[in-house]
Amino acid sequence: MSERSVSKSREQKRWYSVLAPEQFDRQELGETLAEEPQQVVGRTITTTLDQLTGDSNANNTKLTFKITDVGSDTAYTEFIKYELTRDYLRSLVRRGASKVEASITVLTTDDYRVRVQPVALTTKKADRSQEKAIRRVMIDKVHAAAEERTFEAFVDAIVDGNLSSAIYGDAKEIYPLRRVEVQKLTLEARPREVAAEEEASVDVDADEVAVDADE
């Protein structure tokens, strides 16, 4: 492609300002370039929590947003992922101590399905039964938090550290802990997707019943 063609193609495109959801005060996340508004929908943008909050201690947390709608020269997003940086997670690990992890899928009160991956770091090496008990606390606390919160409130509980603190408070009674973090949260399905899956499951069950009745 000639320089003139490239220049002309670029002139036909326009910049769209990408905004965070209202939950994050509609702060600007960046800009994206496209010829048509529909080309912008579905794109993702990742930033660090400190860029949104101004808290320099939050630079180890990455947040990912997905563009869902476009109006004039503005692109609107939804939150889809929370993740701690690999360097930060590696810095937490100590030789001779235990690292207890879990992967938990839950449904919030407004029917968002999310996968949560907490991690607990002990002061010294815990035995297998203690690790199992700590993991059970993680699972119970994550389920309890989801059962009483909307998706937005659940995300807030993780971003603010409240869920980590709740896990720490109970799990430290099992074995001394150095730290508890939620290393990752991922949005797996929205309410309409969850409803569609449930409807499909009901249809399959009905078909199986019909087949059994015929037999």
Side-chain angles (χ1 to χ4, degrees), residues 21-181:
E22 188 174 343
Q23 177 182 7
F24 295 94
D25 300 325
R26 296 287 189 196
Q27 294 191 57
E28 184 171 343
L29 300 172
E31 293 182 313
T32 189
L33 187 65
E35 292 181 2
E36 301 292 339
Q38 60 266 29
Q39 294 176 337
V40 176
V41 176
R43 292 181 183 178
T44 60
I45 186 167
T46 300
T47 188
T48 53
L49 184 58
D50 66 315
Q51 294 296 315
L52 295 179
T53 64
D55 180 2
S56 59
N57 294 321
N59 64 343
N60 295 312
T61 302
K62 296 188 296 181
L63 302 176
T64 301
F65 302 87
K66 183 177 181 178
I67 296 174
T68 57
D69 192 22
V70 181
S72 63
D73 58 353
T74 304
Y76 302 95
T77 64
E78 66 173 351
F79 168 84
I80 60 169
K81 185 186 292 184
Y82 166 104
E83 187 175 16
L84 298 182
T85 63
R86 292 182 180 180
D87 287 346
Y88 176 66
L89 287 171
R90 279 197 294 266
S91 74
L92 297 178
V93 179
R94 297 287 186 273
R95 183 174 297 179
S98 294
K99 179 183 179 183
V100 184
E101 299 175 288
S103 182
I104 309 148
T105 299
V106 293
L107 204 63
T108 60
T109 58
D110 49 353
D111 291 335
Y112 281 82
R113 188 170 70 235
V114 296
R115 183 160 59 93
V116 186
Q117 296 171 263
V119 58
L121 293 307
T122 63
T123 56
K124 296 181 180 179
K125 183 67 177 177
D127 62 36
R128 185 169 297 180
S129 64
Q130 290 165 331
E131 291 181 359
K132 184 177 180 180
I134 291 171
R135 189 172 293 108
R136 172 45 58 188
V137 169
M138 290 178 173
I139 294 170
D140 291 345
K141 286 295 183 182
V142 170
H143 275 283
E147 288 170 1
E148 61 184 26
R149 288 177 173 83
T150 62
F151 174 63
E152 182 175 319
F154 187 72
V155 171
D156 284 342
I158 290 176
V159 172
D160 296 341
N162 294 334
L163 181 54
S164 296
S165 296
I167 294 172
Y168 182 90
D170 282 7
K172 71 178 181 179
E173 302 299 325
I174 299 167
Y175 195 85
L177 299 179
R178 194 165 53 80
R179 197 165 187 86
V180 172
E181 296 276 9

